[in-house]
Amino acid sequence: MTVPVLVTVVALLAAALGAVAGSGAVRWRAREEGARERSRGPTVAELLARIVRRSQSGIAVVNRFGDVVLSNERADALGAVVDARPDPRLAAAAEKVAVGGEPCEVDLSPATFPPGSTPQTIVAQVRPLGDGFVVVDATDTSAAVRLEAVRRDFVANVGHELKTPVGALAVLAEAVLDADDPDEVAHFATRILNESHRLGALVTELIALSRLQGADRLPALVRVDVDEVLAEALTRVRVPAEAAASAGGDRTGGRFLLDAPSGLEVAGDRTLLVTALANLLENAVAYSPEGTPVSVRRRRQGDRVEISVTDRGIGIAPEHQQRVFERFFRVDPARSRATGGTGLGLAIVKHVAANHGGEVRLWSEPGVGSTFTLRVPAAPADEPAPARNGHVTDLASTPALSSALRTAAPGPSPASPSATGGTA
């Protein structure tokens, strides 16, 4: 090989090596820049864009010409932005805020809504951003509005219910003061005692319902014998029922028809379950003609234990069956007041069932009678029974029962309305 050719080959090799080295350097610099870019993370503008996109509020920015320059999907869903244009009510408010600089609130609630759906309440806050831009923050306040309406109704109902016995006590006290006959005094004193008992029962049930609906934690669920719960509930009901019947010349000791002891156990709070079952029994007695029996049946259905209370009373019309679990609702107000009812018993039953991960179902036919069925999760079969020395096992920690408490109870069938959790 001659010298000129060797020189040429060496030059070509050097050029090739230089090109490879240069390419490697470029790739290395690109990787370094990419790594530095990743280490810096997203910019502030990118973060703000993410916040707007993922916000639960409907956010939109409107310019001085009434154009939407930025919005998220939630703004479209709430109706603040329609086809990339602001709602006319919102456009007028945005123009006013852009000129005057004072924030304002706009009601964007739909004027119409589909039949059977719950009306929506949409409120938007409009604030100036400067340079002719305004920001819109729209929120669905339907739940808060409904809660406030329920609160107002509840306060009004409580006031009305308390006013009746308090007014009666005042009238009866005046009658006692004016009475000279000992028999009249005894009569009015007895009525005062009855009204005071009714007032005390109303206050007690209001407190119980408030605790069930509030944030108070349900006590640890333990294995509870259904037969013992029924026996205690019957004891509570029989005493006042027999006293009332005795005054009328009738005895109700044999009024309750019970099935055979079941040996079933549920996971729950004994006191609450006794209260719920006693309320069902009292309700059955109050709305049944004298001398007619009240039947109680216990059975297991799948992973639930059912306790059914059946009366042969006046029954409940179909249009009232969904409302009987509401606070203070009475199918027959006159009859309820005559029997000393507070109108809260079935509402308490509903919330006790819901707090146990269960439900209460209703079957009724006017003129035939009604059956209320309390359904709660059965105690897991593989768990040992609690010791009798006061140590108990928290059954809520077992997988089966934890699932039952987390899962909503089955919905009602058309023939059997049921009440689960929720606001009555």
Side-chain angles (χ1 to χ4, degrees):
M1 180 178 296
T2 62
V3 173
V5 173
L6 182 60
V7 170
T8 301
V9 171
V10 170
L12 290 173
L13 288 174
L17 290 172
V20 170
S23 176
V26 170
R27 287 197 297 270
W28 179 81
R29 283 197 297 271
R31 284 197 298 269
E32 286 292 309
E33 290 176 359
R36 284 197 297 272
E37 195 70 25
R38 287 192 296 271
S39 66
R40 284 198 298 266
T43 63
V44 173
E46 290 172 339
L47 288 175
L48 289 175
R50 293 180 188 178
I51 292 173
V52 171
R53 284 196 303 270
R54 299 178 184 179
S55 174
Q56 292 299 310
S57 299
I59 297 177
V61 176
V62 182
N63 63 16
R64 63 169 58 91
F65 305 109
D67 300 321
V68 177
V69 298
L70 174 67
S71 67
N72 60 3
E73 293 182 359
R74 185 62 174 161
D76 294 342
L78 295 178
V81 177
V82 181
D83 297 329
R85 297 288 302 174
D87 178 278
R89 294 166 292 182
L90 184 59
E95 181 179 1
K96 179 180 177 181
V97 171
V99 174
E102 290 295 327
C104 73
E105 183 176 283
V106 185
D107 184 1
L108 299 180
S109 304
T112 60
F113 49 90
S117 63
T118 304
Q120 270 190 308
T121 304
I122 311 297
V123 177
Q125 303 291 334
V126 185
R127 300 181 180 88
L129 292 178
D131 297 323
F133 293 91
V134 298
V135 62
V136 178
D137 184 359
T139 308
D140 186 349
T141 60
S142 304
V145 170
R146 287 194 295 270
L147 182 62
E148 177 61 20
V150 170
R151 187 194 67 81
R152 286 197 305 268
D153 290 344
F154 182 70
V155 171
N157 286 332
V158 169
H160 176 74
E161 294 295 331
L162 290 175
K163 181 180 178 181
T164 302
V166 169
L169 287 172
V171 171
L172 291 170
E174 291 178 358
V176 170
L177 291 175
D178 295 336
D180 296 327
D181 185 355
D183 292 336
E184 288 185 358
V185 172
H187 170 72
F188 290 128
T190 300
R191 292 189 60 185
I192 288 176
L193 183 61
N194 292 337
E195 289 295 335
S196 64
H197 286 165
R198 179 183 169 194
L199 183 60
L202 177 60
V203 173
T204 300
E205 292 196 350
L206 280 171
I207 294 172
L209 186 59
S210 175
R211 287 175 177 170
L212 288 169
Q213 291 181 297
D216 288 2
R217 182 179 180 273
L218 192 67
L221 301 184
V222 299
R223 188 178 295 273
V224 178
D225 187 286
V226 171
D227 300 332
E228 293 179 1
V229 168
L230 177 58
E232 186 173 343
L234 285 169
T235 301
R236 286 193 191 182
V237 176
R238 274 184 173 138
V239 172
E242 290 176 5
S246 177
D250 181 29
R251 300 296 295 175
T252 61
R255 185 168 187 178
F256 296 102
L257 302 180
L258 311 180
D259 58 356
S262 64
L264 295 172
E265 292 180 319
V266 297
D269 177 80
R270 180 189 178 95
T271 302
L272 292 180
L273 291 173
V274 169
T275 298
L277 190 53
N279 285 349
L280 290 180
L281 294 170
E282 288 174 354
N283 192 71
V285 170
Y287 286 91
S288 297
E290 290 185 5
T292 59
V294 172
S295 304
V296 182
R297 183 181 67 170
R298 295 150 283 185
R299 66 174 181 173
R300 177 160 181 163
Q301 287 284 93
D303 63 346
R304 303 288 169 121
V305 169
E306 296 183 349
I307 309 174
S308 299
V309 178
T310 302
D311 64 64
R312 281 78 173 173
I314 61 176
I316 303 170
E319 64 269 20
H320 294 154
Q321 291 183 16
Q322 295 288 358
R323 298 196 59 198
V324 294
F325 298 99
E326 295 179 9
R327 295 180 297 259
F328 301 116
F329 180 81
R330 296 179 174 92
V331 175
D332 185 350
R335 187 184 186 98
S336 179
R337 295 185 192 281
T339 58
T342 63
L344 295 173
L346 292 179
I348 290 175
V349 173
K350 180 187 75 170
H351 287 287
V352 168
N355 286 0
H356 281 78
E359 62 179 347
V360 56
R361 291 182 173 179
L362 165 64
W363 174 90
S364 185
E365 185 174 336
V368 177
S370 305
T371 297
F372 288 87
T373 301
L374 180 63
R375 303 180 75 244
V376 293
D382 56 346
E383 289 291 330
R388 295 292 182 181
N389 59 1
H391 297 287
V392 296
T393 303
D394 185 356
L395 298 182
S397 61
T398 62
L401 200 51
S402 296
S403 175
L405 291 172
R406 289 194 303 267
T407 305
S413 63
S416 301
S418 67
T420 59
T423 306

